[in-house]
Amino acid sequence: MNTLSKLIMSSAAIICAFNVQAGNHRNVYYDQAKVINTTPVYKYTSAQYVDHRCNRPQAYKNKRSHHRADKVLPTVIGAAIGGTIAKNILKHSDAKHIGIFTGAVIGGAIGNEITSTRNDKYHYQHGSHYDPHATCKVRNKKVKTLDHYQVTYRYRGEVFTTQMNSRPGRKMRVKIKVQPV
């Protein structure tokens, strides 16, 4: 075969292939089908989460139960210092005894407040969220997630079923391919 006949043959083959491909394209069209039923299908997976009901060791609980006893000594020391200061200031006054009593009460209140503020800061920093002694458990739970939709639809009197990622409306688009048997 010469070059011209090879060129003609290859051109004819390309044109025939193009026509076959174009013919297949003409055998496909789209239409609407009525959706009969849509059922969501779920899958269950295991997910980890931190249980926020953390357990504290017994020693830490005992510290908190003696919280009131921790305030006694600073309150007594504050009262002694307040009473002593008032006595020295009012040593030549007629109201010396009332001043000592008032100074002791005020000093005790100041000592108690200083202790409360210090304890509140400690418990805020070392409370349930920041407590290095707390033990929290990591637990597993089943999580229900949507896997797909099972869709039943009717097209020209025939009933079909398919799976879809999103929920269709009352009608859905279907692709129809006509092919000789």
Side-chain angles (χ1 to χ4, degrees), residues 20-123:
V20 168
Q21 188 73 4
N24 283 342
H25 180 68
R26 283 183 279 166
N27 293 341
V28 174
Y29 65 96
Y30 297 92
D31 203 357
Q32 294 288 317
K34 182 179 179 182
V35 174
I36 300 170
N37 187 20
T38 303
T39 306
V41 178
Y42 297 97
K43 66 179 177 180
Y44 292 91
T45 56
S46 180
Q48 290 186 343
Y49 70 100
V50 176
D51 188 358
H52 291 287
R53 294 174 290 162
C54 301
N55 299 321
R56 290 191 184 92
Q58 191 64 30
Y60 187 75
K61 287 182 182 176
N62 288 340
K63 266 187 188 176
R64 289 194 83 175
S65 65
H66 296 303
H67 183 64
R68 294 185 199 274
D70 291 343
K71 291 183 175 185
V72 173
L73 185 61
T75 304
V76 170
I77 292 173
I81 292 172
T84 305
I85 291 172
K87 179 182 173 189
N88 289 332
I89 291 173
L90 301 171
K91 65 178 156 182
H92 300 296
S93 173
D94 294 333
K96 177 169 70 170
H97 297 291
I98 294 174
I100 293 172
F101 177 76
T102 306
V105 169
I106 292 172
I110 292 171
N112 190 331
E113 183 63 29
I114 290 171
T115 303
S116 294
T117 305
R118 184 175 53 92
N119 283 341
D120 289 346
K121 281 184 181 177
Y122 174 81
H123 289 300

Side-chain angles (χ1 to χ4, degrees), residues 97-162:
H97 297 291
I98 294 174
I100 293 172
F101 177 76
T102 306
V105 169
I106 292 172
I110 292 171
N112 190 331
E113 183 63 29
I114 290 171
T115 303
S116 294
T117 305
R118 184 175 53 92
N119 283 341
D120 289 346
K121 281 184 181 177
Y122 174 81
H123 289 300
Y124 175 74
Q125 291 171 350
H126 302 286
S128 62
H129 293 290
Y130 301 100
D131 187 4
H133 303 290
T135 55
C136 299
K137 292 184 179 180
V138 176
R139 299 185 187 271
N140 290 323
K141 69 177 177 178
K142 286 187 177 180
V143 178
K144 180 179 174 181
T145 56
L146 179 67
D147 190 38
H148 63 273
Y149 290 96
Q150 190 76 22
V151 180
T152 305
Y153 62 97
R154 177 176 288 130
Y155 181 73
R156 293 198 175 183
E158 297 289 326
V159 176
F160 302 94
T161 302
T162 188

